[in-house]
């Protein structure tokens, strides 16, 4: 299983597009954005990759506790994704 991880794109669509194209060429199953301009992904997605993410500290959605951390389960492995360390699920196998 390959996952692509990005964060803090801060509106740099040109560089994020390069990362997206690279991740497509590497055949990752999804691209995860860990916040600060999470919605930059909506400007570049072309249907090749699934993507999801969490808001960063500079985004409106950050203060919604239900959106600040997501988990991804694959077989017996649980990954926890968040922009800030304190928001992670405590029982995750891998924390990013």
């Amino acid at each position: 299983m390959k996952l692509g991880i990005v964060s803090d794109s801060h509106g740099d669509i040109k560089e994020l597009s390069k990362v997206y194209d690279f991740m497509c060429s590497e055949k990752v199953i999804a691209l995860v954005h860990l916040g600060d301009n999470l919605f930059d992904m909506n400007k570049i997605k072309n249907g090749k990759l699934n993507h999801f993410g969490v808001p960063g500290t500079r985004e409106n959605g950050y203060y919604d506790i239900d959106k600040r951390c997501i988990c991804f389960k694959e077989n017996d492995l649980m990954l926890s994704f968040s922009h800030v360390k304190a928001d992670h699920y405590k029982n995750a196998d891998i924390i990013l």
Side-chain angles (χ1 to χ4, degrees):
M1 167 180 64
K2 284 185 180 181
L3 288 174
I5 310 291
V6 297
S7 73
D8 298 280
S9 51
H10 295 282
D12 192 341
I13 304 305
K14 183 178 177 182
E15 290 302 313
L16 189 59
S17 293
K18 290 177 188 178
V19 171
Y20 186 92
D21 291 343
F22 175 75
M23 294 297 174
C24 288
S25 72
E26 289 295 309
K27 298 182 170 72
V28 301
I29 62 169
L31 185 57
V32 182
H33 196 297
L34 298 180
D36 282 347
N37 290 64
L38 163 67
F39 297 104
D40 286 348
M41 290 300 302
N42 293 335
K43 297 174 185 169
I44 63 162
K45 70 178 188 174
N46 60 9
K48 292 182 182 177
L49 280 179
N50 291 324
H51 75 276
F52 56 95
V54 293
T57 56
R58 297 175 185 251
E59 295 178 86
N60 293 334
Y62 179 75
Y63 294 100
D64 182 345
I65 193 69
D66 293 330
K67 294 179 182 176
R68 287 193 346 204
C69 186
I70 54 174
C71 274
F72 182 84
K73 285 187 136 187
E74 182 71 24
N75 299 322
D76 292 329
L77 186 65
M78 185 193 324
L79 301 137
S80 177
F81 299 98
S82 177
H83 191 73
V84 178
K85 184 173 108 174
D87 293 333
H88 286 289
Y89 291 103
K90 304 290 187 242
N91 61 342
D93 299 303
I94 298 175
I95 296 174
L96 299 169

mmCIF file with all atom_site columns, all heavy atoms in Angstrom, residues 78-89:
data_model
loop_
_atom_site.group_PDB
_atom_site.id
_atom_site.type_symbol
_atom_site.label_atom_id
_atom_site.label_alt_id
_atom_site.label_comp_id
_atom_site.label_asym_id
_atom_site.label_entity_id
_atom_site.label_seq_id
_atom_site.pdbx_PDB_ins_code
_atom_site.Cartn_x
_atom_site.Cartn_y
_atom_site.Cartn_z
_atom_site.occupancy
_atom_site.B_iso_or_equiv
_atom_site.pdbx_formal_charge
_atom_site.auth_seq_id
_atom_site.auth_comp_id
_atom_site.auth_asym_id
_atom_site.auth_atom_id
_atom_site.pdbx_PDB_model_num
ATOM 1   N N   . MET A 1 78 ? -4.021  0.658  11.415 1.00 0.00 ? 78 MET A N   1
ATOM 2   C CA  . MET A 1 78 ? -4.767  1.901  11.521 1.00 0.00 ? 78 MET A CA  1
ATOM 3   C C   . MET A 1 78 ? -3.801  3.079  11.516 1.00 0.00 ? 78 MET A C   1
ATOM 4   O O   . MET A 1 78 ? -2.858  3.137  12.301 1.00 0.00 ? 78 MET A O   1
ATOM 5   C CB  . MET A 1 78 ? -5.600  1.988  12.791 1.00 0.00 ? 78 MET A CB  1
ATOM 6   C CG  . MET A 1 78 ? -6.441  3.239  12.774 1.00 0.00 ? 78 MET A CG  1
ATOM 7   S SD  . MET A 1 78 ? -7.273  3.790  14.293 1.00 0.00 ? 78 MET A SD  1
ATOM 8   C CE  . MET A 1 78 ? -7.762  2.368  15.119 1.00 0.00 ? 78 MET A CE  1
ATOM 9   N N   . LEU A 1 79 ? -4.043  4.021  10.587 1.00 0.00 ? 79 LEU A N   1
ATOM 10  C CA  . LEU A 1 79 ? -3.242  5.234  10.481 1.00 0.00 ? 79 LEU A CA  1
ATOM 11  C C   . LEU A 1 79 ? -4.084  6.411  10.951 1.00 0.00 ? 79 LEU A C   1
ATOM 12  O O   . LEU A 1 79 ? -5.268  6.495  10.638 1.00 0.00 ? 79 LEU A O   1
ATOM 13  C CB  . LEU A 1 79 ? -2.831  5.479  9.023  1.00 0.00 ? 79 LEU A CB  1
ATOM 14  C CG  . LEU A 1 79 ? -2.032  4.359  8.390  1.00 0.00 ? 79 LEU A CG  1
ATOM 15  C CD1 . LEU A 1 79 ? -2.530  4.091  6.996  1.00 0.00 ? 79 LEU A CD1 1
ATOM 16  C CD2 . LEU A 1 79 ? -0.584  4.728  8.375  1.00 0.00 ? 79 LEU A CD2 1
ATOM 17  N N   . SER A 1 80 ? -3.483  7.318  11.678 1.00 0.00 ? 80 SER A N   1
ATOM 18  C CA  . SER A 1 80 ? -4.154  8.522  12.160 1.00 0.00 ? 80 SER A CA  1
ATOM 19  C C   . SER A 1 80 ? -3.494  9.733  11.517 1.00 0.00 ? 80 SER A C   1
ATOM 20  O O   . SER A 1 80 ? -2.273  9.870  11.552 1.00 0.00 ? 80 SER A O   1
ATOM 21  C CB  . SER A 1 80 ? -4.036  8.595  13.688 1.00 0.00 ? 80 SER A CB  1
ATOM 22  O OG  . SER A 1 80 ? -4.620  9.775  14.174 1.00 0.00 ? 80 SER A OG  1
ATOM 23  N N   . PHE A 1 81 ? -4.310  10.607 10.924 1.00 0.00 ? 81 PHE A N   1
ATOM 24  C CA  . PHE A 1 81 ? -3.805  11.790 10.237 1.00 0.00 ? 81 PHE A CA  1
ATOM 25  C C   . PHE A 1 81 ? -4.334  13.055 10.903 1.00 0.00 ? 81 PHE A C   1
ATOM 26  O O   . PHE A 1 81 ? -5.525  13.174 11.144 1.00 0.00 ? 81 PHE A O   1
ATOM 27  C CB  . PHE A 1 81 ? -4.265  11.809 8.771  1.00 0.00 ? 81 PHE A CB  1
ATOM 28  C CG  . PHE A 1 81 ? -3.782  10.654 7.975  1.00 0.00 ? 81 PHE A CG  1
ATOM 29  C CD1 . PHE A 1 81 ? -4.592  9.558  7.759  1.00 0.00 ? 81 PHE A CD1 1
ATOM 30  C CD2 . PHE A 1 81 ? -2.510  10.661 7.423  1.00 0.00 ? 81 PHE A CD2 1
ATOM 31  C CE1 . PHE A 1 81 ? -4.145  8.484  7.012  1.00 0.00 ? 81 PHE A CE1 1
ATOM 32  C CE2 . PHE A 1 81 ? -2.054  9.596  6.669  1.00 0.00 ? 81 PHE A CE2 1
ATOM 33  C CZ  . PHE A 1 81 ? -2.877  8.502  6.465  1.00 0.00 ? 81 PHE A CZ  1
ATOM 34  N N   . SER A 1 82 ? -3.466  13.997 11.165 1.00 0.00 ? 82 SER A N   1
ATOM 35  C CA  . SER A 1 82 ? -3.861  15.278 11.736 1.00 0.00 ? 82 SER A CA  1
ATOM 36  C C   . SER A 1 82 ? -2.774  16.303 11.451 1.00 0.00 ? 82 SER A C   1
ATOM 37  O O   . SER A 1 82 ? -1.638  15.950 11.167 1.00 0.00 ? 82 SER A O   1
ATOM 38  C CB  . SER A 1 82 ? -4.066  15.143 13.244 1.00 0.00 ? 82 SER A CB  1
ATOM 39  O OG  . SER A 1 82 ? -4.388  16.381 13.804 1.00 0.00 ? 82 SER A OG  1
ATOM 40  N N   . HIS A 1 83 ? -3.134  17.574 11.558 1.00 0.00 ? 83 HIS A N   1
ATOM 41  C CA  . HIS A 1 83 ? -2.141  18.636 11.374 1.00 0.00 ? 83 HIS A CA  1
ATOM 42  C C   . HIS A 1 83 ? -1.348  18.873 12.656 1.00 0.00 ? 83 HIS A C   1
ATOM 43  O O   . HIS A 1 83 ? -0.213  19.316 12.619 1.00 0.00 ? 83 HIS A O   1
ATOM 44  C CB  . HIS A 1 83 ? -2.846  19.926 10.943 1.00 0.00 ? 83 HIS A CB  1
ATOM 45  C CG  . HIS A 1 83 ? -1.925  21.000 10.483 1.00 0.00 ? 83 HIS A CG  1
ATOM 46  N ND1 . HIS A 1 83 ? -1.271  20.948 9.270  1.00 0.00 ? 83 HIS A ND1 1
ATOM 47  C CD2 . HIS A 1 83 ? -1.520  22.160 11.058 1.00 0.00 ? 83 HIS A CD2 1
ATOM 48  C CE1 . HIS A 1 83 ? -0.529  22.017 9.121  1.00 0.00 ? 83 HIS A CE1 1
ATOM 49  N NE2 . HIS A 1 83 ? -0.660  22.772 10.200 1.00 0.00 ? 83 HIS A NE2 1
ATOM 50  N N   . VAL A 1 84 ? -1.956  18.570 13.789 1.00 0.00 ? 84 VAL A N   1
ATOM 51  C CA  . VAL A 1 84 ? -1.349  18.827 15.093 1.00 0.00 ? 84 VAL A CA  1
ATOM 52  C C   . VAL A 1 84 ? -1.297  17.532 15.900 1.00 0.00 ? 84 VAL A C   1
ATOM 53  O O   . VAL A 1 84 ? -2.274  16.806 15.992 1.00 0.00 ? 84 VAL A O   1
ATOM 54  C CB  . VAL A 1 84 ? -2.156  19.897 15.865 1.00 0.00 ? 84 VAL A CB  1
ATOM 55  C CG1 . VAL A 1 84 ? -1.569  20.155 17.234 1.00 0.00 ? 84 VAL A CG1 1
ATOM 56  C CG2 . VAL A 1 84 ? -2.219  21.191 15.069 1.00 0.00 ? 84 VAL A CG2 1
ATOM 57  N N   . LYS A 1 85 ? -0.165  17.247 16.480 1.00 0.00 ? 85 LYS A N   1
ATOM 58  C CA  . LYS A 1 85 ? 0.079   15.997 17.207 1.00 0.00 ? 85 LYS A CA  1
ATOM 59  C C   . LYS A 1 85 ? -0.997  15.683 18.255 1.00 0.00 ? 85 LYS A C   1
ATOM 60  O O   . LYS A 1 85 ? -1.420  14.539 18.396 1.00 0.00 ? 85 LYS A O   1
ATOM 61  C CB  . LYS A 1 85 ? 1.447   16.070 17.871 1.00 0.00 ? 85 LYS A CB  1
ATOM 62  C CG  . LYS A 1 85 ? 1.862   14.817 18.583 1.00 0.00 ? 85 LYS A CG  1
ATOM 63  C CD  . LYS A 1 85 ? 3.299   14.945 19.063 1.00 0.00 ? 85 LYS A CD  1
ATOM 64  C CE  . LYS A 1 85 ? 3.343   15.114 20.539 1.00 0.00 ? 85 LYS A CE  1
ATOM 65  N NZ  . LYS A 1 85 ? 4.696   15.111 21.079 1.00 0.00 ? 85 LYS A NZ  1
ATOM 66  N N   . ALA A 1 86 ? -1.472  16.651 18.971 1.00 0.00 ? 86 ALA A N   1
ATOM 67  C CA  . ALA A 1 86 ? -2.421  16.422 20.069 1.00 0.00 ? 86 ALA A CA  1
ATOM 68  C C   . ALA A 1 86 ? -3.775  15.888 19.606 1.00 0.00 ? 86 ALA A C   1
ATOM 69  O O   . ALA A 1 86 ? -4.534  15.361 20.411 1.00 0.00 ? 86 ALA A O   1
ATOM 70  C CB  . ALA A 1 86 ? -2.619  17.716 20.850 1.00 0.00 ? 86 ALA A CB  1
ATOM 71  N N   . ASP A 1 87 ? -4.083  15.995 18.315 1.00 0.00 ? 87 ASP A N   1
ATOM 72  C CA  . ASP A 1 87 ? -5.399  15.593 17.813 1.00 0.00 ? 87 ASP A CA  1
ATOM 73  C C   . ASP A 1 87 ? -5.498  14.125 17.413 1.00 0.00 ? 87 ASP A C   1
ATOM 74  O O   . ASP A 1 87 ? -6.555  13.666 17.030 1.00 0.00 ? 87 ASP A O   1
ATOM 75  C CB  . ASP A 1 87 ? -5.785  16.445 16.602 1.00 0.00 ? 87 ASP A CB  1
ATOM 76  C CG  . ASP A 1 87 ? -6.028  17.890 16.966 1.00 0.00 ? 87 ASP A CG  1
ATOM 77  O OD1 . ASP A 1 87 ? -6.402  18.139 18.129 1.00 0.00 ? 87 ASP A OD1 1
ATOM 78  O OD2 . ASP A 1 87 ? -5.834  18.754 16.103 1.00 0.00 ? 87 ASP A OD2 1
ATOM 79  N N   . HIS A 1 88 ? -4.434  13.372 17.481 1.00 0.00 ? 88 HIS A N   1
ATOM 80  C CA  . HIS A 1 88 ? -4.434  12.003 16.967 1.00 0.00 ? 88 HIS A CA  1
ATOM 81  C C   . HIS A 1 88 ? -5.220  11.022 17.819 1.00 0.00 ? 88 HIS A C   1
ATOM 82  O O   . HIS A 1 88 ? -5.347  11.198 19.021 1.00 0.00 ? 88 HIS A O   1
ATOM 83  C CB  . HIS A 1 88 ? -2.996  11.488 16.833 1.00 0.00 ? 88 HIS A CB  1
ATOM 84  C CG  . HIS A 1 88 ? -2.273  12.091 15.691 1.00 0.00 ? 88 HIS A CG  1
ATOM 85  N ND1 . HIS A 1 88 ? -2.560  11.787 14.389 1.00 0.00 ? 88 HIS A ND1 1
ATOM 86  C CD2 . HIS A 1 88 ? -1.287  13.013 15.644 1.00 0.00 ? 88 HIS A CD2 1
ATOM 87  C CE1 . HIS A 1 88 ? -1.775  12.481 13.598 1.00 0.00 ? 88 HIS A CE1 1
ATOM 88  N NE2 . HIS A 1 88 ? -1.002  13.244 14.329 1.00 0.00 ? 88 HIS A NE2 1
ATOM 89  N N   . TYR A 1 89 ? -5.680  9.974  17.149 1.00 0.00 ? 89 TYR A N   1
ATOM 90  C CA  . TYR A 1 89 ? -6.299  8.860  17.855 1.00 0.00 ? 89 TYR A CA  1
ATOM 91  C C   . TYR A 1 89 ? -5.215  8.105  18.605 1.00 0.00 ? 89 TYR A C   1
ATOM 92  O O   . TYR A 1 89 ? -4.178  7.773  18.044 1.00 0.00 ? 89 TYR A O   1
ATOM 93  C CB  . TYR A 1 89 ? -7.000  7.918  16.867 1.00 0.00 ? 89 TYR A CB  1
ATOM 94  C CG  . TYR A 1 89 ? -8.224  8.520  16.227 1.00 0.00 ? 89 TYR A CG  1
ATOM 95  C CD1 . TYR A 1 89 ? -8.191  8.992  14.931 1.00 0.00 ? 89 TYR A CD1 1
ATOM 96  C CD2 . TYR A 1 89 ? -9.407  8.632  16.947 1.00 0.00 ? 89 TYR A CD2 1
ATOM 97  C CE1 . TYR A 1 89 ? -9.322  9.554  14.348 1.00 0.00 ? 89 TYR A CE1 1
ATOM 98  C CE2 . TYR A 1 89 ? -10.536 9.201  16.380 1.00 0.00 ? 89 TYR A CE2 1
ATOM 99  C CZ  . TYR A 1 89 ? -10.480 9.639  15.080 1.00 0.00 ? 89 TYR A CZ  1
ATOM 100 O OH  . TYR A 1 89 ? -11.584 10.211 14.509 1.00 0.00 ? 89 TYR A OH  1
#
